[in-house]
Amino acid sequence: MKGFVKKGIIFSLIGVMQLGIGASVIEASPKHENRNHKQHWDNRDHRIQEERDRHEREMARRDHEEEWQWKERQKREKDHHEEVMRTLGGIALLYILTNN
């Protein structure tokens, strides 16, 4: 009777280990990840393009602005743009590090 119980426990543990390994392999499958990576990169690229378009619009001189006002606004906009781009780059880097 003891031998039968030992064998049952051993085979149960082997089955649980195989199930765990199978789940890990399925989760790590490249087919599974490609969809998420592509969607993430498309979203990131879209956000970067939106920021570049916004930055270009903001850098243009407006009709009612004086030269010194335009220069001040350009400086503020440049600082803001660099901060946004660093943030987007940081988010992308964080995503890469956590998913590899």
Side-chain angles (χ1 to χ4, degrees):
M1 189 71 169
K2 282 185 174 180
F4 182 71
V5 173
K6 284 183 181 178
K7 286 181 184 178
I9 291 171
I10 289 172
F11 286 126
S12 296
L13 288 174
I14 290 172
V16 168
M17 287 173 44
Q18 286 180 342
L19 182 66
I21 290 170
S24 298
V25 168
I26 290 171
E27 194 63 32
S29 167
K31 182 179 178 183
H32 176 73
E33 290 184 13
N34 282 343
R35 184 180 72 242
N36 293 338
H37 285 300
K38 181 162 177 31
Q39 182 181 10
H40 172 75
W41 291 114
D42 289 346
N43 184 28
R44 185 188 64 95
D45 291 342
H46 180 70
R47 288 173 58 185
I48 288 174
Q49 188 58 46
E50 282 181 349
E51 171 58 23
R52 286 182 178 153
D53 293 343
R54 187 200 64 78
H55 177 68
E56 189 175 330
R57 282 191 313 270
E58 290 298 317
M59 291 299 281
R61 186 170 180 180
R62 299 193 175 115
D63 293 336
H64 64 277
E65 278 184 319
E66 297 291 332
E67 181 80 19
W68 65 271
Q69 292 172 323
W70 179 46
K71 295 291 183 190
E72 283 183 14
R73 190 171 54 79
Q74 277 186 323
K75 182 182 181 314
R76 285 192 312 269
E77 175 53 35
K78 182 179 177 199
D79 292 342
H80 175 74
H81 178 71
E82 288 175 356
E83 181 180 339
V84 169
M85 295 304 279
R86 274 194 307 269
T87 302
L88 289 173
I91 290 170
L93 182 61
L94 182 63
Y95 181 80
I96 290 169
L97 292 176
T98 57
N99 287 315
N100 283 338

